[in-house]
């Protein structure tokens, strides 16, 4: 009660959420989705994911509900699904974990909490991130990112799993992390 009395009126009116006690596979997957196809807007006060894949959209909404106890809004926007929710507490938590807000594609980075996590947590993060920004086909597995830093870190994380890859800059300013052959099979 003493702590609540010390905060401002706006914080008193915030809905309580669950905060995870540790970074597990579910939280890692949520971070992977947010960094891949998600956004955190301080201006619009919304957190969300935009995806053309309804299963991915549903998985994201389910993670938000399981982790934070917050319900998402799901709406169709042309050929895409938008999953949105508002929570200043979740926003503050995500920012604390190192996620960026606003337009930040070129500044994306793997959160420090993922880098310090066990392999199962790192794998969950990479799986969700590749689900958003990756491609698998006859040419192998390719991750496309606008962030040079992200491409370097992902390449190192893959190497920790024994997966060899190469990074290449593209003409459009993006970076590809390309995995082929046996490493693609391992991936």
């Amino acid at each position: 009660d003493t702590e609540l009395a010390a905060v401002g009126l706006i914080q008193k009116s915030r809905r309580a959420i669950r905060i995870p006690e540790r970074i597990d596979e579910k939280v890692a997957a949520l971070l992977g989705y947010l960094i891949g196809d998600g956004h955190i807007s301080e201006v619009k006060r919304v957190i969300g994911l935009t995806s053309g894949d309804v299963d991915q959209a549903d998985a994201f909404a389910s993670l938000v509900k399981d982790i934070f106890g917050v319900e998402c809004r799901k709406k169709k926007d042309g050929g895409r699904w938008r999953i949105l929710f508002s929570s200043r507490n979740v926003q503050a938590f995500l920012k604390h974990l190192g996620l960026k807000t606003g337009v930040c594609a070129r500044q994306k980075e793997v959160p420090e909490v993922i880098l310090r996590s066990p392999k199962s947590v790192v794998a969950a993060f990479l799986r969700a991130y590749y689900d958003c920004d990756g491609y698998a086909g006859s040419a192998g597995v390719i991750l496309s990112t606008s962030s040079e830093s992200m491409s370097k870190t992902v390449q190192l994380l893959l190497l920790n799993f024994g997966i060899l890859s190469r990074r290449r800059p593209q003409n459009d300013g993006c970076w590809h992390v390309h995995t082929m052959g046996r490493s693609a099979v391992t991936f």
Side-chain angles (χ1 to χ4, degrees):
D1 289 339
T2 305
E3 290 176 2
L4 191 57
V7 299
L9 291 175
I10 292 175
Q11 289 180 335
K12 287 182 186 178
S13 67
R14 290 185 183 175
R15 264 187 313 229
I17 62 164
R18 289 191 301 263
I19 297 292
E21 294 181 15
R22 63 186 179 88
I23 304 300
D24 61 8
E25 288 83 359
K26 285 184 177 184
V27 176
L30 180 80
L31 296 177
Y33 282 133
L34 280 170
I35 289 173
D37 285 338
H39 60 276
I40 303 169
S41 173
E42 291 184 286
V43 174
K44 294 183 179 180
R45 297 181 181 173
V46 69
I47 303 165
L49 178 87
T50 302
S51 177
D53 182 356
V54 69
D55 292 334
Q56 183 186 68
D58 290 341
F60 177 79
S62 179
L63 285 170
V64 171
K65 176 74 172 160
D66 290 350
I67 295 167
F68 301 113
V70 176
E71 291 287 340
C72 294
R73 300 178 307 275
K74 178 180 173 183
K75 65 180 185 177
K76 185 91 167 165
D77 183 10
R80 301 176 298 204
W81 290 99
R82 294 194 188 273
I83 306 299
L84 304 168
F85 69 99
S86 296
S87 172
R88 293 290 245 186
N89 290 329
V90 172
Q91 184 181 44
F93 175 73
L94 295 172
K95 285 172 59 177
H96 174 74
L97 293 181
L99 271 66
K100 310 263 190 281
T101 62
V103 179
C104 56
R106 297 207 185 277
Q107 291 84 36
K108 287 182 184 179
E109 294 180 348
V110 176
E112 187 71 31
V113 293
I114 298 298
L115 298 176
R116 292 179 296 172
S117 294
K119 279 190 170 183
S120 63
V121 173
V122 174
F125 171 82
L126 288 173
R127 192 175 302 115
Y129 182 53
Y130 266 82
D131 193 23
C132 295
D133 289 345
Y135 161 82
S138 60
V141 180
I142 301 170
L143 175 76
S144 181
T145 178
S146 295
S147 169
E148 182 179 7
S149 172
M150 188 72 164
S151 70
K152 288 178 182 178
T153 306
V154 167
Q155 186 181 35
L156 287 171
L157 290 175
L158 292 173
L159 193 55
N160 287 337
F161 287 97
I163 298 171
L164 301 175
S165 61
R166 69 176 173 196
R167 284 182 333 107
R168 294 185 304 178
Q170 303 300 299
N171 292 334
D172 62 358
C174 288
W175 287 85
H176 281 184
V177 179
H178 194 171
T179 307
M180 300 180 298
R182 287 188 207 143
S183 286
V185 171
T186 302
F187 178 88

